[in-house]
Amino acid sequence: MPASGTNLQAIIDAINDGNIQNAEIVRVISNRLDAYGRKRAQKAGIPTTYHNLITFGKKHPELADDALRERYDKALADVILDDHPNLIVCAGFTHILSPAFLEPLAGAGIPAINIHPALPNAFPGSNAIKRAYQAFKDGSITKTGVMVHYVISEIDAGEPLVIKELDVGKEETCEQLEERMHQIEWQAIVQGVQIIVQNL
């Protein structure tokens, strides 16, 4: 999760307020030790796990890069499978998930969803908001948006579950756009979880 953990907080609040019903968060996993979302989870009484690739690599110095990432992803899947969840929500988890992670979860019938601050097929990967803003300034787009999508091995390319479009203001700064995008992200991630939970 990112440093702030605001998408996580949106889900916690929605569950507590009854906007997401018949759901609980069984664990929060972060690959960043300083992620404030870990404190948000602890405050809400949710177990947390720190799972960092560099730390994991120090325990397995015999593994080369590709093999290390595969073993790391498999270990991450094992942590999740031990909790027997019905859904995985990547609320800002900054790690590209490989088939070593996705295949065991698919085999267990557990979907994974991700929030991404761009429309489908636009600006996959990092710095999506800044790239969209620059594209607006260059005249190549007039709107951007947020999507919640199913996680697959290709970056931000899974089937969209929720799409929210947003017009970019002519006088808007990138910082102002980013703040509006975050507000929409909180709505979208809650809506995405609601859709999955209602269909379990």
Side-chain angles (χ1 to χ4, degrees):
M1 73 179 67
S4 62
T6 52
N7 287 319
L8 169 64
Q9 190 64 55
I11 298 170
I12 293 172
D13 292 345
I15 291 173
N16 290 340
D17 295 343
N19 292 322
I20 299 175
Q21 298 183 352
N22 303 315
E24 67 171 322
I25 302 171
V26 297
R27 184 173 304 278
V28 168
I29 301 174
S30 175
N31 59 356
R32 293 180 54 174
L33 193 59
D34 63 347
Y36 189 70
R38 296 179 72 229
K39 293 184 178 180
R40 293 181 188 273
Q42 291 162 1
K43 184 177 179 181
I46 302 166
T48 64
T49 295
Y50 173 59
H51 191 71
N52 177 267
L53 180 59
I54 294 174
T55 304
F56 188 84
K58 290 178 180 177
K59 296 177 182 178
H60 300 279
E62 75 283 3
L63 297 175
D65 288 350
D66 289 346
L68 175 63
R69 289 182 69 88
E70 186 170 315
R71 182 79 65 84
Y72 170 88
D73 281 7
K74 176 63 168 60
L76 177 59
D78 289 342
V79 170
I80 292 170
L81 288 169
D82 283 346
D83 284 324
H84 306 287
N86 298 111
L87 172 66
I88 300 157
V89 180
C90 299
F93 192 67
T94 54
H95 174 79
I96 299 170
L97 297 165
S98 72
F101 172 84
L102 296 170
E103 289 173 2
L105 297 171
I110 306 170
I113 60 174
N114 179 52
I115 182 85
H116 183 62
L119 295 174
N121 304 312
F123 312 111
S126 60
N127 300 314
I129 298 174
K130 291 180 181 178
R131 288 156 58 205
Y133 184 77
Q134 187 58 53
F136 169 76
K137 288 296 185 182
D138 293 342
S140 57
I141 65 169
T142 60
K143 62 180 61 179
T144 184
V146 168
M147 68 169 170
V148 175
H149 64 89
Y150 287 99
V151 177
I152 61 174
S153 56
E154 289 79 17
I155 301 172
D156 300 319
E159 178 186 354
L161 184 66
V162 177
I163 299 170
K164 292 187 176 293
E165 293 187 350
L166 180 70
D167 290 322
V168 184
K170 290 182 178 180
E171 305 301 323
E172 192 168 28
T173 66
C174 186
E175 291 74 19
Q176 290 169 331
L177 175 62
E178 187 168 1
E179 180 58 33
R180 287 204 298 136
M181 292 281 279
H182 289 324
Q183 298 282 340
I184 293 177
E185 281 182 346
W186 304 334
Q187 299 171 23
I189 196 69
V190 167
Q191 188 177 346
V193 173
Q194 285 172 326
I195 291 170
I196 298 289
V197 169
Q198 288 169 1
N199 288 282
L200 288 175

